[in-house]
Amino acid sequence: MALSFHSQVVEPWGRTPRLPHQVARPRHQDQLPGLIAEACADESLLAAGLHRSYGDSGLNPDGLMISMRGLDRFIAFDPATGVLRAEAGVSLDEILRMATPHGWFLPTTPGTRFVTLGGAIANDVHGKNHHRAGSFGRYVRRIGLMRSDGGALELSAQERPELFHATLGGLGLTGLIAWAEIALSPIPSTFVDEETVPFANLAEYFRLSAESDPRFEHVSSWIDCTATGGALGRGVMYRANWSSAGGLAPHSPRQKLKVPVTAPPGLMNRLSLKAFNTAYGALQRMRRGTARKHYGGAFYPLDAIGGWNRFYGPAGFYQHQFMAPVETQQDAMAEVLRTLAATGQGSFLAVLKTLGPLRSGGLVSFEGPGASLALDFPNRGEATLKLLERLDAIVVAAGGKIYPAKDGRMSAATFRAGYPRWRELEALRDPLFSSRFWRRVTHDQ
């Protein structure tokens, strides 16, 4: 075992599986070549950030791991152009607190600020504005990549473009992302004018989405997974544009609530699911209309609750986020929702949104065009896994795919069906770098 690596149990955000790892925690860039050289005596290496991937794409229990969180320095920022260069361990939270007072924001952002810059690139994250902005990789200008052969490369769309695009959404497999340069987007204030619009069923959602996407920069919807019949797919849409009023105050780093202990098994069950969906839907319908909100509350509501993943109990949970192309999206969503309603294993937090046609060029990026639905399921063992396999079959039949950053159990066949260019990534993968996810979905069955 390499001497700089120490034993630690690592868990993803879904809290399953929890596995022992050998982890190094560098504080300076000049430590990285030595750590990579140490790891070359082992079978595999993976860089990690804040462990917000839900499944096993950020796990490497059979090899070594370098935690990049200590490499969190800003290298350069131009407040006139919004171009930022920073070490890979800088979090989106830290970028926002630095950049928003200057009138700049992330070009797109996932539903949590607690993701590192390197993790955002490795997973090619996206947000509520995918229909207009595409994914994070479209705004990456340069990447500093360290390879196991000792090479320290600077990548861009012009210099080593094949390796650059393989690194966007490449799950950390092309080498260690040491730093990156990105282009931020200008904002008139740190507030959005958000409209809450209830809809009665899935057909009405797609009509509303077609009308909303051209007019609003940020659009997403909550779906009631317990609704059936003519109300199948009922929910609430949240659509917003940046407000010209409100000033440029950054978000508060303080969390309003922390979950101190793991919830007991069985807290999230069929009865609590029905009660939550009914109550939440009624509350949101009462909020119909437009309100001015700070981006902290509009984009990151769950970040206000520290450790919210503990609500799902000691066994953790699985997230299943998939997309279906435009041609099959409505039928696929309907079939998924009917399946959930029939089994009583619906999701407490189901998020439906549009993925637009813009592409980053990532070989296995989770992109559209189409519709995406994200679902959370308490881990009930074999019953949950069988349900997720049924959902996978619906997605594959629709010509869709599962988001790797959210997955911890899809089969190799399901992955390959959704990502036919995976062999191109494998050809450009650094031979030292691997993960539990990659070994699982590329192993020949």
Side-chain angles (χ1 to χ4, degrees):
M1 183 194 304
L3 296 178
S4 300
F5 294 81
H6 303 282
S7 296
Q8 175 187 336
V9 173
V10 177
E11 66 179 29
W13 191 246
R15 307 191 72 214
T16 182
R18 305 179 187 95
L19 298 170
H21 282 65
Q22 298 298 322
V23 183
R25 297 183 174 279
R27 296 290 301 173
H28 301 282
Q29 291 276 336
D30 58 10
Q31 295 175 275
L32 294 175
L35 290 173
I36 293 174
E38 281 190 68
C40 283
D42 209 278
E43 291 185 1
S44 65
L45 176 67
L46 186 68
L50 285 163
H51 300 291
R52 283 301 181 110
S53 293
Y54 284 65
D56 58 359
S57 63
L59 300 181
N60 190 38
D62 300 320
L64 302 176
M65 176 176 288
I66 295 178
S67 172
M68 297 296 290
R69 189 62 184 106
L71 301 175
D72 59 353
R73 299 167 184 85
F74 295 112
I75 299 170
F77 174 62
D78 185 347
T81 64
V83 174
L84 167 69
R85 182 175 293 205
E87 291 181 323
V90 167
S91 70
L92 302 188
D93 177 86
E94 291 160 340
I95 291 174
L96 289 170
R97 284 193 278 120
M98 182 278 296
T100 52
H102 297 281
W104 296 97
F105 200 80
L106 295 165
T108 189
T109 175
T112 176
R113 308 184 306 269
F114 302 121
V115 174
T116 61
L117 177 58
I121 294 170
N123 293 287
D124 201 7
V125 298
H126 63 276
K128 298 177 180 181
N129 62 346
H130 193 289
H131 60 288
R132 284 198 184 181
S135 59
F136 197 87
R138 297 189 65 245
Y139 305 91
V140 178
R141 296 163 56 107
R142 308 192 77 79
I143 297 171
L145 190 73
M146 293 187 174
R147 303 269 286 183
S148 63
D149 60 5
L153 308 177
E154 188 166 320
L155 312 178
S156 70
Q158 293 74 41
E159 301 171 39
R160 299 184 174 90
E162 285 191 356
L163 190 55
F164 174 76
H165 287 108
T167 303
L168 302 179
L171 304 171
L173 300 172
T174 61
L176 187 147
I177 300 172
W179 58 266
E181 183 178 283
I182 62 172
L184 301 178
S185 296
I187 52 172
S189 78
T190 51
F191 288 78
V192 295
D193 292 322
E194 182 182 81
E195 185 179 5
T196 300
V197 187
F199 50 89
N201 51 42
L202 202 58
E204 187 175 330
Y205 162 78
F206 279 104
R207 290 194 296 271
L208 184 62
S209 177
E211 181 263 325
S212 301
D213 286 352
R215 297 174 47 215
F216 293 88
E217 183 174 352
H218 306 281
V219 183
S220 70
S221 298
W222 168 81
I223 296 290
D224 180 354
C225 288
T226 67
T228 59
L232 184 76
R234 72 181 174 193
V236 181
M237 176 176 286
Y238 309 97
R239 54 190 192 181
N241 288 316
W242 288 105
S243 175
S244 59
L248 292 168
H251 65 274
S252 169
R254 184 176 62 86
Q255 291 182 311
K256 297 178 181 178
L257 175 68
K258 291 187 178 181
V259 182
V261 296
T262 299
L267 177 65
M268 292 192 169
N269 53 48
R270 186 188 291 249
L271 292 177
S272 60
L273 172 69
K274 181 68 175 179
F276 173 85
N277 276 266
T278 300
Y280 186 84
L283 177 63
Q284 297 306 305
R285 285 188 287 273
M286 289 172 58
R287 293 177 173 174
R288 176 196 296 266
T290 302
R292 184 160 295 153
K293 291 185 177 181
H294 192 270
Y295 72 79
F299 297 162
Y300 310 110
L302 286 177
D303 282 349
I305 307 173
W308 63 262
N309 55 345
R310 294 177 178 172
F311 282 131
Y312 286 88
F317 70 102
Y318 291 102
Q319 182 163 109
H320 189 277
Q321 182 170 2
F322 71 92
M323 68 79 56
V326 173
E327 299 78 14
T328 61
Q329 59 186 9
Q330 188 164 339
D331 289 342
M333 296 295 167
E335 188 171 356
V336 164
L337 291 173
R338 282 193 292 267
T339 301
L340 297 183
T343 62
Q345 293 194 67
S347 174
F348 285 79
L349 297 172
V351 179
L352 180 59
K353 60 190 174 188
T354 299
L355 301 183
L358 298 176
R359 295 182 177 272
S360 69
L363 300 178
V364 296
S365 289
F366 183 74
E367 296 178 317
S372 165
L373 181 61
L375 304 161
D376 291 344
F377 298 96
N379 178 15
R380 299 191 179 98
E382 193 64 25
T384 304
L385 294 174
K386 286 182 177 179
L387 170 64
L388 295 176
E389 288 175 2
R390 291 176 63 185
L391 302 187
D392 288 351
I394 297 170
V395 173
V396 171
K401 53 193 169 189
I402 314 296
Y403 191 9
K406 304 294 182 70
D407 175 70
R409 39 90 257 154
M410 75 168 142
S411 69
T414 297
F415 173 75
R416 295 177 184 188
Y419 299 93
R421 299 185 69 186
W422 73 270
R423 291 187 187 276
E424 296 177 53
L425 176 57
E426 174 62 18
L428 291 165
R429 180 177 67 87
D430 186 303
L432 176 64
F433 285 74
S434 186
S435 67
R436 186 177 187 267
F437 172 87
W438 194 248
R439 293 188 288 273
R440 174 167 58 82
V441 300
T442 62
H443 185 273
D444 288 327
Q445 302 295 304

